[in-house]
Amino acid sequence: MTSDEQQIREVIATWMEASRRGETDRVLELMDEDVVFLGAGRSAMRGRAEFAAASRGMSGMSIDGAADVQEIRVSGDLAYCWNQLTVVVRAADGSIVRNMAGPVLSVMRKGQDGKWRIFRDANMLAPADGKSG
């Protein structure tokens, strides 16, 4: 495994842990300012500010999940990463609000500071429990 591949795996692991802890500011550090998130049935989410607003709109909820890295390919200062992702969102009372799973394809970009960040992300999560979420 190359150093770049290891760094990308660390970005993913840090993202998952920071999400679990509710550390939105830490998650924001892991994405480019001009990041774009794509998901089925919703408009593109553009930029850190839009992501932050959506995250803070989930106040009182907890997020837990796991990313199983399937493939990483690096070419210069761009890379793509395919993950199988599971995400469980719980309300403050512990009840499950969403239980989602599916593939995610992310494009990473290496900044001038040498750090990899999420640049584009296509999220194809679907209800894992047969219920809409």
Side-chain angles (χ1 to χ4, degrees):
M1 179 180 325
T2 69
S3 172
D4 286 326
E5 291 170 354
Q6 183 58 41
Q7 289 175 39
I8 289 168
R9 286 178 184 274
E10 289 171 12
V11 168
I12 295 162
T14 300
W15 183 294
M16 298 306 294
E17 183 59 30
S19 294
R20 187 175 299 110
R21 292 180 179 183
E23 298 172 347
T24 300
D25 289 339
R26 180 68 181 117
V27 172
L28 294 173
E29 294 171 0
L30 302 172
M31 62 184 80
D32 266 2
E33 185 66 39
D34 59 346
V35 67
V36 176
F37 293 94
L38 305 172
R42 62 181 166 100
S43 298
M45 185 183 309
R46 298 177 182 276
R48 284 185 190 162
E50 196 170 330
F51 182 93
S55 294
R56 292 188 176 114
M58 294 180 60
S59 179
M61 298 199 191
S62 65
I63 299 172
D64 195 11
D68 182 11
V69 176
Q70 302 294 303
E71 180 179 23
I72 296 174
R73 295 282 186 245
V74 178
S75 180
D77 65 351
L78 293 175
Y80 72 81
C81 178
W82 163 33
N83 293 301
Q84 279 300 123
L85 185 63
T86 59
V87 176
V88 177
V89 179
R90 295 182 187 275
D93 66 4
S95 62
I96 294 176
V97 176
R98 287 189 205 112
N99 184 8
M100 310 289 282
V104 175
L105 185 64
S106 300
V107 177
M108 312 287 281
R109 184 163 62 183
K110 193 174 195 177
Q112 291 183 357
D113 60 2
K115 293 183 181 179
W116 287 97
R117 293 179 183 85
I118 294 180
F119 177 57
R120 300 290 185 262
D121 186 82
N123 175 321
M124 293 161 272
L125 297 181
D129 54 9
K131 300 176 186 173
S132 64

